[in-house]
Amino acid sequence: MNVLEEEQTAFEIGVVVPKRDLKEEDKDSDCVEVLVDEFRNLGLVVERVHGVVDEFIKLAAPLETLGRAAAELHIKKRTPIGMDLEFEWEEVDAFERQPDGSLFSWCERFRCYRHIIYGIINKSQSSVTLRLDSKEFKWEVGEYLLQKLESERIVKEVFPLHDEIKRKKLLQTWALHWWDFTNQPIDEIYSYFGTKIAIYFAFLGMYTRWLLFPAAFGLILHMFDFGSLQLLVLPIFFISIILWAIMFSQFWKRKNNALLARWKIRYPIRADLGYRQGMEWNSSQSIEIAKKWGTDKTKEREMFQRIEWFGRLMRFRNDAIIIFSIICLQLPFELAYAHIYEVIGSDIMKIGLTTIYLFAIQFFTQIGGKISVKLIKYENNENTEKKADSLVYKVFGLYFMQSYIGVFYHALLHRNFSTLRKVLIQRLLVSQVLENLLENTLPYLKYSYKKYRVRSKKKREKGSSTGKIQFASRVEKEYLKPSYSASIGMELEDGLFDDFLEVALQFGMIMMFACAFPLAFAFATLNNITEIRADALKLLAMLRRPTPRFSTTIGAWLNIFQVVCNL
């Protein structure tokens, strides 16, 4: 094996444990000291930071440590001859590197980290007594240490850390680089955040660039009076928009495949890799069936068919519940809002009503999304990716109704283009301003509230209310920041759910009602240019580093975009 050049090792994982006063004679049995020793024995680089209330263990892994973990996990990597083979550390030179020159992607490194730190097991012949202050418990033979400490609530959280050098570079070349408009360092985003987030920003950038043509066309229609040619120009605009949407969908698929080829990703990656998920239903059911029926193939096939049809029945039942809820609960609320909006004469009152309505539907839809998450638990989906797609379809149905029913009401019943145009302007402006305001201020408010709680707790412990408590360590500040989570919960989706949902609803608004308000494309273009930089700043400065998610496409969202095109 050729000798590799030494790579710079950055701290990428943080472990949060309680801060305590430890005596010298208690070090041998202290559970945190045992955990740190185990980390070092596995070849990890460990740095300990004392915060205001908690202690933080920062972890970094040399290349060899990650390479041997990748070999144990049988991770497949691309070779120069174009084949994907299982990684072997002894043959490291035979595998291609990432676009940034590193051997492993962030998704692969994160998976290796979890394999290393969650794989610490008691291999001795007897149980080990561990202590934390006055608390004492047993680390049994064959038991995983980190899971044991999490169950005892000693390890509070394990989370990814920002790499300060790469983070600052991305801030300069991406988040704060407004003059590039839609151009983004996609390869650097992929190296730092992983596949799923990089694909989202690649999609958003391409979508915004493609919006420039209909935005310019709509702007011309709005500014110039074509007189008698208006009846000819408008149909040309409508037809060109339909062709534009179809071509965008096809060219995005080509762009997606080109990105995967550049990142050395050939095959679909299961969404649940890298997470401590239980066995999927099909594998667990096959074990139960084998125990119950033995080797009887006929009975085994009948059981599998029964499970498959039961899963389809559960999905049909859940879809029926969502549709029934939309028709009986949400539809009357939406129609009442649309009718009141039509009756009110004052424009100020209409804007106020729209603002209250948008706040109300945010609350109602979050409840609907959480109910959808609970319903999906009873479906026999193949893997986590299928569950996430099922959740996307259900929640988008709720949002579709609450976003468009009022507009359809004005378009189909009143047929007043002037009123419809006002509704579209208010929806586009108010909803987009409101969304940007919420997603950029809520993380800061949550962060400030957590800092306030920590300071209050520390002052109560000291028994004094004087003196300002400073947060000196960066890792503690990262820990207090909110995570990149979806508004409907963290079980199946991360914050990309809300970002994709915002883009999908905007796409539907400008596509289905382009005839009433051609200028909507210009509004959408300006919003998306701002959205790219605002989302980048949010990920790099306001939130923790997201947990990497394995995905090679935008998933169910592409189907939703195509359905909107058909509508």
Side-chain angles (χ1 to χ4, degrees), residues 365-531:
T365 312
Q366 285 184 17
I367 295 175
K370 292 177 180 179
I371 293 173
S372 299
V373 171
K374 293 184 181 296
L375 291 174
I376 286 170
K377 292 180 180 179
Y378 298 98
E379 295 180 4
N380 288 333
N381 292 292
E382 295 176 8
N383 51 40
T384 307
E385 188 69 21
K386 296 292 185 183
K387 292 180 181 178
D389 288 347
S390 179
L391 177 65
V392 167
Y393 292 134
K394 289 177 175 60
V395 178
F396 182 78
L398 296 172
Y399 272 94
F400 183 88
M401 179 64 68
Q402 58 107 43
S403 297
Y404 301 132
I405 188 63
V407 188
F408 280 124
Y409 177 83
H410 291 287
L412 300 178
L413 293 183
H414 290 278
R415 302 184 182 182
N416 187 329
F417 263 45
S418 177
T419 304
L420 179 59
R421 193 173 293 114
K422 290 180 181 179
V423 172
L424 290 171
I425 292 172
Q426 290 180 10
R427 286 292 185 94
L428 285 170
L429 291 179
V430 175
S431 63
Q432 290 178 358
V433 170
L434 185 62
E435 287 287 343
N436 288 328
L437 186 65
L438 287 175
E439 70 180 34
N440 287 291
T441 56
L442 279 180
Y444 177 75
L445 293 175
K446 290 179 180 178
Y447 174 60
S448 301
Y449 178 66
K450 283 186 177 180
K451 287 172 66 176
Y452 169 76
R453 288 184 60 186
V454 171
R455 286 194 177 105
S456 299
K457 182 179 179 181
K458 189 65 177 178
K459 287 178 180 179
R460 286 197 302 269
E461 290 176 356
K462 286 184 175 181
S464 173
S465 59
T466 60
K468 189 175 181 180
I469 298 173
Q470 297 289 343
F471 295 90
S473 62
R474 178 162 293 280
V475 62
E476 185 171 24
K477 293 178 181 178
E478 283 191 40
Y479 173 62
L480 294 175
K481 289 178 180 178
S483 58
Y484 187 48
S485 58
S487 58
I488 56 174
M490 299 178 61
E491 290 89 344
L492 297 172
E493 282 288 346
D494 56 12
L496 280 181
F497 176 86
D498 297 313
D499 292 332
F500 264 122
L501 181 63
E502 186 179 349
V503 176
L505 292 174
Q506 179 203 86
F507 183 77
M509 192 72 73
I510 63 177
M511 279 296 301
M512 291 190 291
F513 304 102
C515 56
F517 188 45
L519 198 60
F521 289 94
F523 280 112
T525 304
L526 292 175
N527 176 78
N528 289 356
I529 291 173
T530 306
E531 187 76 19

Side-chain angles (χ1 to χ4, degrees), residues 2-19:
N2 296 330
V3 179
L4 293 170
E5 295 182 0
E6 187 69 23
E7 293 191 359
Q8 184 178 4
T9 303
F11 291 102
E12 296 183 302
I13 299 295
V15 182
V16 187
V17 296
K19 188 177 177 180

Side-chain angles (χ1 to χ4, degrees), residues 36-175:
V36 170
D37 290 340
E38 292 290 342
F39 286 156
R40 290 190 172 122
N41 293 337
L42 291 170
L44 296 174
V45 180
V46 180
E47 181 180 317
R48 302 173 70 172
V49 178
H50 291 278
V52 175
V53 175
D54 298 308
E55 181 182 350
F56 302 89
I57 305 171
K58 297 164 61 177
L59 301 177
L63 184 60
E64 182 176 354
T65 303
L66 291 176
R68 299 196 181 281
E72 293 175 6
L73 289 168
H74 305 289
I75 291 177
K76 287 189 175 183
K77 291 191 67 64
R78 182 69 56 85
T79 59
I81 60 175
M83 294 181 63
D84 293 328
L85 301 177
E86 289 186 2
F87 181 80
E88 296 181 12
W89 173 246
E90 289 73 17
E91 304 293 336
V92 64
D93 287 338
F95 298 93
E96 291 191 351
R97 298 207 164 215
Q98 298 295 313
D100 64 345
S102 60
L103 182 61
F104 298 106
S105 67
W106 169 229
C107 297
E108 292 168 337
R109 292 202 309 276
F110 184 77
R111 189 180 170 195
C112 291
Y113 271 113
R114 291 190 71 88
H115 174 73
I116 294 169
I117 64 179
Y118 279 97
I120 301 172
I121 191 171
N122 185 1
K123 297 180 180 179
S124 63
Q125 301 298 320
S126 60
S127 60
V128 179
T129 302
L130 299 177
R131 295 183 178 86
L132 182 73
D133 296 332
S134 59
K135 187 176 183 179
E136 184 176 305
F137 55 93
K138 297 286 186 180
W139 180 24
E140 302 294 342
V141 177
E143 190 174 20
Y144 291 100
L145 177 59
L146 197 56
Q147 293 179 355
K148 178 68 176 179
L149 295 181
E150 284 181 335
S151 65
E152 296 288 341
R153 297 185 179 180
I154 295 171
V155 170
K156 297 182 178 180
E157 196 166 351
V158 178
F159 65 100
L161 295 175
H162 278 291
D163 183 339
E164 277 305 295
I165 296 176
K166 293 181 179 179
R167 189 183 74 88
K168 289 179 180 178
K169 183 180 178 182
L170 280 173
L171 275 172
Q172 294 174 357
T173 60
W174 179 35

